[in-house]
Amino acid sequence: MIFPAIDLHNGQSVRLFKGDYQKVTLINKDPVQQAKDIIAAGVRQLHLVDLDGAKSGQPKNFEVIKAIRESFSGFLELGGGIRDYQTAKDYLELGIDRIIIGSAAIEEPQFVKDLLKEYGGERIVIGVDGNNGKVAVNGWIDQSNITMEDLIKAMVDNGAKHFIVTDVSRDGTMTGPNLDLLWKLKQDMPQVNLVASGGIRDLRDLHHLKAFGLVDVIIGKALYEGTITLEQIAEVEKNVS
C-alpha cells in the first residue's frame, strides 16, 4: 500500500524538514478536508502522525484525529505519542486500523510486548526511525545507541510483523529513500514487512523499492511538491490489487 502522510501540528497539517520542529511548512489548515480529498481521489489508506504527541509523549491532536477517522472511510494508521496502554486502547477503540509505536519500543519494551500479545502484529506497527543506522526517539529529538536492526529483531521476537523504517536524514528532503539501509534490512530479515519512509521523490523511487520487495511506502513531501499525485497513487494501487 502507498500511504499519503498527514503530519499534525497544532491541529494543522504540516511538513517538517529532517524532523526539525523549527523548520515547519504549513500544508493544510484543515487536515480533515485534506483526508477527504485523499479518499475522493481514490486512495484508501492514510498515514497520520501526531507530531506534538511524538514530542511530548502524549496525545495532543486527539479531536482532529477523531474527526479524520469519522470522515475517512479507508485504512488509517496513526503514530505519535502512543506510550501507554490507555492511549493505545483509546485510539484502537476509536477505530484506528493500526497504531505505530516508536519511542516506547525502546523505552517501554514490556508495554509493547503486552500490546502485541493482546492486539496482534496487524494492529500494532513498530516505527523504526533513525540516523546512521541508530534509532532516534522522542520525536527524533534524541538519539539512542540501539541499532535499527537490533530493535527490529527484538520486536519480531515479540510478535511484530510490520516496521515503518524512516531515515530521519532523508525525511522531507526529496533526495530519495535510503536504498542501502532498506536493502540490508530486507536481506537480513526477509520475513518482516518493511514500510519505506523518508525521501521518496517520484514513481521511479517506488519502482526501485518494489524491485527490492518493498511495496508499502509512505509519501509526504512529494505529494505537496507535485512530483507524485494522488491520482498516480490510486493508479498504482489499482494495478497492484
Side-chain angles (χ1 to χ4, degrees), residues 34-149:
Q34 187 181 352
K36 289 178 181 176
D37 293 343
I38 288 169
I39 203 121
V43 178
R44 301 197 55 79
Q45 56 281 337
L46 176 59
H47 172 83
L48 202 54
V49 178
D50 180 352
L51 290 175
D52 305 309
K55 193 175 181 181
S56 68
Q58 53 194 1
K60 292 292 183 183
N61 288 279
F62 189 86
E63 292 306 317
V64 177
I65 291 163
K66 183 180 179 183
I68 289 173
R69 174 68 288 180
E70 289 168 353
S71 63
F72 187 86
S73 58
F75 186 96
L76 185 58
E77 67 177 19
L78 168 72
I82 306 172
R83 310 219 185 132
D84 61 68
Y85 180 82
Q86 190 58 51
T87 301
K89 187 168 180 276
D90 287 347
Y91 278 136
L92 290 167
E93 289 185 351
L94 188 66
I96 303 298
D97 293 288
R98 66 185 187 190
I99 57 172
I100 304 155
I101 307 294
S103 300
I106 286 180
E107 295 170 351
E108 302 286 346
Q110 187 59 47
F111 152 67
V112 184
K113 190 175 183 178
D114 293 344
L115 270 185
L116 283 163
K117 189 174 182 182
E118 180 166 355
Y119 292 102
E122 292 304 327
R123 298 206 72 191
I124 308 299
V125 186
I126 309 301
V128 185
D129 309 326
N131 263 318
N132 300 318
K134 298 279 183 72
V135 179
V137 294
N138 300 324
W140 301 350
I141 293 166
D142 301 319
Q143 187 75 21
S144 77
N145 287 315
I146 297 170
T147 69
M148 298 168 91
E149 187 167 342

